[in-house]
Amino acid sequence: LHQLRLVSGLRRAKDSDLKEAIKYMRLKTHFADLVKEEEPDHWMGDVWNEAQLFTYIQAVPGKCVMEIDGFVIDATNYLGEHPGGPRLLRKYSISLNSAGKTLDASWAFAGGLNNHSRAAKGQMRSLRVAKMLRDSEQIYHGSRISTNNQDI
C-alpha cells in the first residue's frame, strides 16, 4: 500500500517484536489451551498519588506522561517510535494545566482507537514508572496501611 502511495507514514515493526509474535502464534496454534492471552501483572515498583504524579511531570518540561490501566506511563522516549506518531500520544498525555484532573487513556489503548498487539502491550508495560493510588484506595506496607502515602 505504501508503494502504491495509498498510505503514508507507516513504520516497520521491530524484528524482535516480529519474532516474538511468530513464536507466540506457533505456540498458540499447537497449544491453544496452554497459552494465556495476557501476562500476569505483578507490579513491584512505586505507588504514587496525584501530587507525586504532578511533581514527576513538573521535573522535566515536555514529558509525555499518561495513565493507562491505573499505571503511570512515561512515553517520552517512545514518542519517535510510536506508529501513530507523537501527536497521538501527546493528545492523551497528562497536562500540568489539567487543574488536578488526570485523563485516563486506558480506553484508547484497549481498543477505543486501536486494538494493540501483544508487542505493543509489552512495550507499554516497559514504560511504566508507577502505579496510581486514588484517594479512596489503600495500600499495605508490611503491617501498616497507608492512604496516599500517609500511615494510618
Side-chain angles (χ1 to χ4, degrees):
L1 294 176
H2 181 68
Q3 292 175 343
L4 296 173
R5 300 184 192 275
L6 296 174
V7 295
S8 64
L10 294 178
R11 293 190 173 102
R12 181 167 167 72
K14 294 180 189 175
D15 285 338
S16 60
D17 291 343
L18 290 173
K19 288 176 185 174
E20 196 278 331
I22 291 167
K23 178 181 170 185
Y24 174 77
M25 291 309 294
R26 285 183 181 147
L27 281 172
K28 190 173 179 179
T29 300
H30 297 292
F31 304 104
D33 296 337
L34 301 175
V35 177
K36 294 186 171 80
E37 288 296 318
E38 294 294 325
E39 296 178 18
D41 197 7
H42 302 291
W43 179 252
M44 300 299 291
D46 292 338
V47 179
W48 292 350
N49 60 27
E50 286 186 1
Q52 291 167 302
L53 169 65
F54 283 105
T55 299
Y56 180 79
I57 293 170
Q58 287 174 332
V60 177
K63 275 189 189 260
C64 181
V65 177
M66 57 192 71
E67 183 180 348
I68 299 175
D69 296 331
F71 288 93
V72 178
I73 310 298
D74 187 343
T76 307
N77 293 330
Y78 183 65
L79 287 171
E81 294 179 45
H82 187 263
R87 199 165 155 194
L88 183 62
L89 290 177
R90 292 249 184 236
K91 179 178 178 182
Y92 294 96
S93 67
I94 299 166
S95 154
L96 293 176
N97 300 327
S98 61
K101 295 180 181 176
T102 60
L103 173 67
D104 186 348
S106 301
W107 75 271
F109 187 81
L113 293 177
N114 186 9
N115 190 9
H116 286 88
S117 66
R118 291 182 76 246
K121 291 174 184 175
Q123 178 70 33
M124 184 271 298
R125 283 191 294 274
S126 75
L127 300 173
R128 291 175 176 173
V129 292
K131 182 162 179 55
M132 282 300 296
L133 179 68
R134 297 290 170 207
D135 291 336
S136 61
E137 295 177 312
Q138 295 179 342
I139 186 166
Y140 293 88
H141 295 286
S143 60
R144 299 176 314 195
I145 300 174
S146 296
T147 301
N148 289 341
N149 293 341
Q150 295 187 2
D151 291 341
I152 298 174

